[in-house]
C-alpha cells in the first residue's frame, strides 16, 4: 500500500504498542499528528493536542513515568522547545520516542526539508551531559521500521530515542509493507510509578544533591551511553571496498547521494557510499576502518555542514574530507553531487 | 506582646491537637527531618496532604508530582510514589500520568513561580481540559528557592531582592490572582483559597485539601487549592510577623474562601 512517511512513522509506533501521543501542530509533520489522533482513537490509546511543544514533551514524560510507550513529534522549531524536556527525560532515565521531521532554519525558517538539526539531535541539544539514540530512516518503509525499533531501544536503555527525518521523507508517498508483530510482549518496567500498592514507594528524579551523588549518576549514565555505542551502531555501506571517493550522507540525502554514486560509477569513477543509520551512536569505526584506503570523503548534507564534523573526527586526518551542502530548503541533486565527485577526482 | 501571641498560637494549636488526640505522624509522611526554614508554610502543607491521603486510604494509589522550588525534594518526605517535573511543567506531567492511569490519584505540588510564572500555560490548559487532577498551589509571594526574588504573586510595594524599592505596578505589573483567572474555565471544578497562618486556618486548609482530593476521587475534574503560606526567610520577618502579615495584608488582597465549587 501507499503511505506518506509521516503516516508510516505513526503506524510504526502503533505496531510497537505506543499507547500515548502528545503533539503540537507544525509543518511538515502535521500528517503524523493527525494520524496519531485517528489511530490512538482506534487502538484505545491516549492522544492529546498539547498547548505547546513544552507541554507535549512533558505529557510524554508523565506517560513514560507511568510506564507506557509514549511518543511526541514535531519539526525543528518545536524540537528546540522540547529540548528542556528531553534533558529531563535523559536525566531521569525515561524511555520515549521523539520524531523530528526537520525543516529549514534558523528561526522560523521555512517548511522545506532540511538537515540543520543534526547538532541539536546528536550533540545533546538540551543542557547537561547526555545522549539520545538518533535514528535516520531514508524511506517511508524505514520510517515505519525504525520507529518500531526506536520503542524497543528506548525501553531497553531507558533513554529517549529520536527519529530524525525531514519534510521530504515525511510527506513523500511510497509503497509500504506492514509487518505482523502479534503477541510480542512489552518490556517489564519495574521502575515505573503506578502507586505503591504491595511495594515500597518509588520516586523518579534527575536531581542529586548529596556530595558526589550527581557525579555518580553521570558516571552511570555514561556507562549506559558506552554500552549503546558498543551495541547499537547501524550503517549501510555500498561499493566502499574499491572506492577512491566515499560519499557520506544520511536520510533522504543518502538516496540522492546513492543516485550520484551510480552516475559516477557509470562513468567509471570509483565511488562508494556510507549511510549512517544511527547518527548517535555514530558509525565511527565503519568510517575509520576505510579511511586509510579511500582517498577522499565527500559528505553531503542539507545543512551548512554538521555531520561532516563527526566524519572528520572519525577520519582523524587520514584522508581528505570534503563537503557539499545545500541550506534553507535547498535539496542537492544527483547531478550536483556528480559534479562535485568529478571535481574531486580531477584534483587528485 | 509578640511572645505572648506566639504562646497563644502554640497553646491553641496544642489544645486543638489534643482535642483530636492521637496527634501522630501520618503514615504517608516519612519519619525524617524536613529541610524547610523555621516557620515555613511548606512543612504544614506537606503534613495536611499526607493526613488527607491517609484518611482517604489512597496512599497506594497516589502519584505526586513535585515542583522545582523549595519543595523540590518532597519525595524525600512523602512515602508514596512521586516524580520530579521540570520547572512549571508540573501539570503537563500530571496530565500524562493521569491519562494513562485514570484509576490512580494524581496531584501536583507547586509554588507561585512554578505555577503562576513559568508554568502559566500548563496550569491554564490542564484546568481548561478539565484534567481530573488535584493541584496544591503554595503561594508565598516570593521565589524561595532562588533567594527571594519577586514572584507574579508578590504584592504591590513588597520589597524583594529584585524589587528593592518594592514592587511597582508600572515596572512589574499587578500581582496575579490565579484562582480567579481559572474560575472562568468550565473545566476547573473546585477552587479554594486557604491559608496556614493560624491553627484555625490550618484546619480550614485541611478541609479544602480534602475536598479537592475528593473532587478527583469522585471523577469530578480539575481541583486546585491555593495556600497562602509564610516565607519568613525572604519576607525578612519572624514566624509570628509572617503569620500576621498573611492575616492583615496578604489575605486582604487574596481573599480566603471557596472561589468555585461544583
Ligand atoms: C527553567 C528553570 N528556570 C529557573 C530555575 C530556577 N528556579 C528554581 S526554583 C525557582 C522559583 C521557585 O519559586 P516558587 O515556585 O515560588 O517556589 P518556592 O521556592 O517559593 O517554594 C526558580 C526560578 C529552574 N530551576 N529552571
Ligand atoms: S526559603 Fe521560604 S519557602 Fe523556602 S523553605 Fe525557607 S521559608 Fe520556606
Amino acid at each position: 500500500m501507499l503511505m506518506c512517511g509521516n503516516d508510516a512513522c505513526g503506524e510504526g509506533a502503533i505496531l510497537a504498542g505506543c499507547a500515548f501521543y502528545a503533539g503540537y501542530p507544525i509543518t511538515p509533520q502535521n500528517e503524523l499528528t493527525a494520524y496519531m489522533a485517528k489511530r490512538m482513537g482506534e487502538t484505545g490509546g491516549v492522544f492529546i493536542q498539547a498547548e505547546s511543544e513544552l507541554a507535549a514533551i512533558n505529557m510524554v514524560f508523565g506517560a513514560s513515568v507511568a510506564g507506557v510507550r509514549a511518543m511526541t513529534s514535531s519539526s525543528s522549531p518545536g524540537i528546540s522547545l522540547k529540548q528542556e524536556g528531553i534533558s529531563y527525560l535523559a536525566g531521569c532515565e525515561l524511555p520515549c520516542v521523539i520524531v523530528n521531521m526537520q525543516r529549514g532554519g534558523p528561526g522560523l525558517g521555512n517548511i522545506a526539508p532540511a538537515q540543520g538539526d543534526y547538532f541539536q539531535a546528536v550533540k545533546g541539544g538540551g543542557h547537561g551531559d547526555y545522549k539520545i539514540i538518533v535514528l535516520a530512516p531514508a524511506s517511508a518503509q524505514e520510517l515505519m521500521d525504525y520507529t518500531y525499533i526506536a520503542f524497543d531501544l528506548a525501553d531497553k536503555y531507558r533513554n529517549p530515542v529520536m527519529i530524525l527525518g525531514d519534510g521530504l521523507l515525511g510527506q513523500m508517498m511510497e509503497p509500504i509493507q506492514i509487518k505482523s508483530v502479534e503477541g510480542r510482549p512489552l518490556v517489564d518496567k519495574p521502575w515505573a510509578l503506578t502507586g505503591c500498592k504491595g511495594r515500597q514507594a518509588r520516586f523518579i528524579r534527575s536531581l542529586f544533591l548529596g556530595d558526589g551523588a550527581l557525579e555518580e549518576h553521570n558516571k552511570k549514565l555514561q556507562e549506559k551511553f558506552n554500552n549503546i555505542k558498543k551495541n547499537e551502531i547501524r550503517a549501510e555501506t555500498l561499493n566502499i571496498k574499491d572506492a577512491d571517493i566515499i560519499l557520506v550522507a544520511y536520510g533522504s540525502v543518502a538516496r540522492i547521494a546513492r543516485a550520484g554514486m551510480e552516475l559516477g560509477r557509470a562513468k567509471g569513477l570509483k565511488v562508494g557510499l556510507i549511510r549512517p543509520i544511527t547518527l548517535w551512536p555514530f558509525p565511527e569505526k565503519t568510517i575509520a576502518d576505510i579511511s586509510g584506503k579511500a582517498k577522499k570523503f565527500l559528505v553531503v548534507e542539507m545543512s551548512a555542514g554538521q555531520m561532516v564534523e563527526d566524519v572528520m573526527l572519525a577520519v582523524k586526518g587520514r584522508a581528505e574530507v570534503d563537503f557539499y551542502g545545500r541550506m534553507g530548503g535547498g535539496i542537492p541533486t544527483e547531478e550536483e553531487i556528480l559534479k562535485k565527485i568529478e571535481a574531486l577526482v580531477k584534483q587528485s | 506582646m509578640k511572645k505572648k501571641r506566639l504562646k497563644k498560637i502554640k497553646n491553641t494549636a496544642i489544645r486543638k491537637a489534643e482535642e483530636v488526640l492521637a496527634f501522630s505522624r501520618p503514615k504517608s509522611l516519612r519519619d525524617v527531618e524536613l529541610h524547610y526554614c523555621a516557620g515555613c508554610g511548606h512543612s504544614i502543607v506537606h503534613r495536611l496532604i499526607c493526613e488527607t491521603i491517609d484518611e482517604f486510604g489512597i496512599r497506594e494509589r497516589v502519584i505526586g508530582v513535585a515542583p522545582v522550588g523549595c519543595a523540590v525534594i518532597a519525595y524525600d518526605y512523602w512515602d508514596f510514589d512521586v516524580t520530579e517535573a521540570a520547572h512549571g511543567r508540573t501539570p503537563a506531567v500530571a496530565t500524562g500520568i493521569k491519562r494513562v492511569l485514570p484509576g490512580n490519584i494524581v496531584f501536583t505540588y507547586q509554588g507561585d513561580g512554578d505555577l503562576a510564572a513559568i508554568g502559566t500555560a500548563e496550569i491554564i490548559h490542564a484546568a481548561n481540559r478539565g484534567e481530573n487532577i488535584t493541584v496544591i498551589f503554595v503561594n508565598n509571594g516570593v521565589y524561595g528557592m532562588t533567594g527571594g526574588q519577586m514572584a507574579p504573586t508578590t504584592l504591590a510595594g513588597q520589597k524583594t531582592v529584585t524589587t528593592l524599592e518594592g514592587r511597582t505596578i508600572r515596572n512589574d505589573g499587578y500581582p496575579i490572582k490565579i484562582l480567579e483567572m481559572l474560575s472562568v474555565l468550565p473545566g476547573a471544578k473546585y477552587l479554594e483559597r486557604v491559608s496556614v497562618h493560624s491553627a484555625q486556618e490550618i484546619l480550614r486548609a485541611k478541609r479544602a485539601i480534602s475536598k479537592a482530593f475528593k473532587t478527583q476521587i469522585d471523577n469530578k475534574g480539575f481541583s486546585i487549592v491555593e495556600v497562602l503560606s509564610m516565607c519568613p526567610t525572604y519576607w525578612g520577618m519572624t514566624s509570628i510577623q509572617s503569620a500576621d502579615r498573611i492575616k492583615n495584608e496578604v489575605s486582604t488582597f487574596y481573599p480566603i474562601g471557596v472561589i468555585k465549587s461544583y
Side-chain angles (χ1 to χ4, degrees), chain B residues 35-42 69-71 140 142-145 148 229-234:
Chain B
H35 75 283
Y36 300 110
C37 312
C40 173
H42 276 304
C70 280
N140 59 14
V142 286
Y143 285 13
M145 192 190 205
S229 176
M230 300 77 74
C231 175
T233 303
Y234 292 113

Side-chain angles (χ1 to χ4, degrees), chain A residues 44-300:
Chain A
V46 178
F47 170 89
I48 304 178
Q49 181 173 328
E51 61 271 29
S52 71
E53 288 84 354
L54 286 169
I57 190 78
N58 283 287
M59 288 172 183
V60 164
F61 181 107
S64 184
V65 160
V68 310
R69 290 192 152 185
M71 176 166 109
T72 183
S73 66
S74 188
S75 179
S76 311
I79 297 294
S80 298
L81 278 182
K82 287 188 200 292
Q83 292 296 355
E84 175 197 53
I86 296 172
S87 168
Y88 274 79
L89 283 151
C92 292
E93 295 197 81
L94 290 169
C96 75
V97 174
I98 303 139
V99 180
N100 180 3
M101 293 299 178
Q102 299 170 86
R103 61 186 245 179
L108 199 50
N110 62 17
I111 57 168
Q115 294 183 325
D117 295 357
Y118 180 90
F119 283 154
Q120 77 158 343
V122 309
K123 304 291 177 189
H127 55 286
D129 277 314
Y130 73 92
K131 289 288 181 189
I132 60 172
I133 298 172
V134 182
L135 300 170
S139 64
Q141 182 70 52
E142 281 198 0
L143 268 167
M144 177 179 291
D145 297 345
Y146 282 113
T147 303
Y148 178 88
I149 290 168
F151 280 93
D152 284 348
L153 289 173
D155 280 352
K156 182 173 173 191
Y157 293 103
R158 289 185 58 182
N159 207 65
V161 178
M162 180 177 281
I163 298 288
L164 192 66
D166 62 60
L168 194 62
L169 279 177
Q171 297 190 313
M172 208 159 43
M173 300 287 285
E174 290 193 285
I176 286 287
Q177 252 189 334
I178 297 179
K179 276 194 238 150
S180 155
V181 290
E182 250 163 70
R184 200 175 54 113
L186 293 181
V187 189
D188 210 25
K189 297 184 177 176
W191 47 265
L193 303 191
T194 49
C196 61
K197 191 172 165 64
R199 59 161 169 82
Q200 291 223 314
R202 291 180 187 140
F203 49 83
I204 287 177
R205 59 163 175 174
S206 63
L207 179 81
F208 294 85
L209 293 175
D211 209 12
L214 184 57
E215 186 162 30
E216 275 317 303
H217 178 60
N218 266 285
K219 280 184 186 159
K220 197 181 119 201
L221 290 180
Q222 290 303 322
E223 201 178 297
K224 174 170 87 176
F225 299 145
N226 283 332
N227 266 336
I228 298 174
K229 267 190 179 173
K230 249 181 245 152
N231 301 327
E232 306 300 345
I233 291 175
R234 292 165 198 253
E236 189 189 7
T237 58
L238 276 173
N239 297 331
I240 59 169
K241 286 226 171 79
D242 69 337
D244 295 327
I245 291 178
I246 293 183
L247 303 175
V248 189
Y250 72 93
S252 53
V253 179
R255 285 168 70 173
I256 306 168
R258 183 182 178 150
M261 174 192 78
E262 279 158 7
L263 290 179
R265 284 270 164 187
K267 291 194 161 190
L269 304 175
K270 288 186 177 162
V271 189
L273 171 70
I274 295 179
R275 169 170 86 97
I277 296 171
T278 51
L279 298 179
W280 194 88
F282 193 68
E284 267 168 59
K285 197 170 172 310
T286 313
I287 292 173
D289 285 352
I290 202 82
S291 64
K293 291 177 223 152
K295 292 202 183 87
K296 278 177 184 169
F297 286 83
L298 173 60
V299 183
V300 188

Side-chain angles (χ1 to χ4, degrees), chain B residues 18 84-85 87 129 136-137 143-144 170 190 192 212 229 232 251 256-257:
Chain B
E18 277 170 353
E84 137 188 317
H87 195 25
R129 286 189 303 266
I136 308 299
F137 167 34
Y143 285 13
R170 187 172 45 80
Y190 186 75
E192 182 166 355
S229 176
S251 64
I256 287 169

Side-chain angles (χ1 to χ4, degrees), chain B residues 110-169:
Chain B
Q110 303 179 254
D112 40 10
D114 198 81
L115 184 141
I118 196 167
T120 327
E122 284 80 2
I123 194 67
I124 287 179
H125 289 277
N128 192 46
R129 286 189 303 266
E131 297 295 343
N132 190 29
I133 59 171
T134 300
V135 175
I136 308 299
F137 167 34
V138 178
N139 175 357
N140 59 14
V142 286
Y143 285 13
M145 192 190 205
T146 41
Q149 295 86 349
M150 179 188 72
T153 46
T154 299
L155 294 183
Q158 185 179 335
K159 286 185 179 159
T160 70
V161 296
T162 51
T163 53
L164 296 174
E165 302 299 321
R167 178 179 187 154
T168 62
I169 302 308

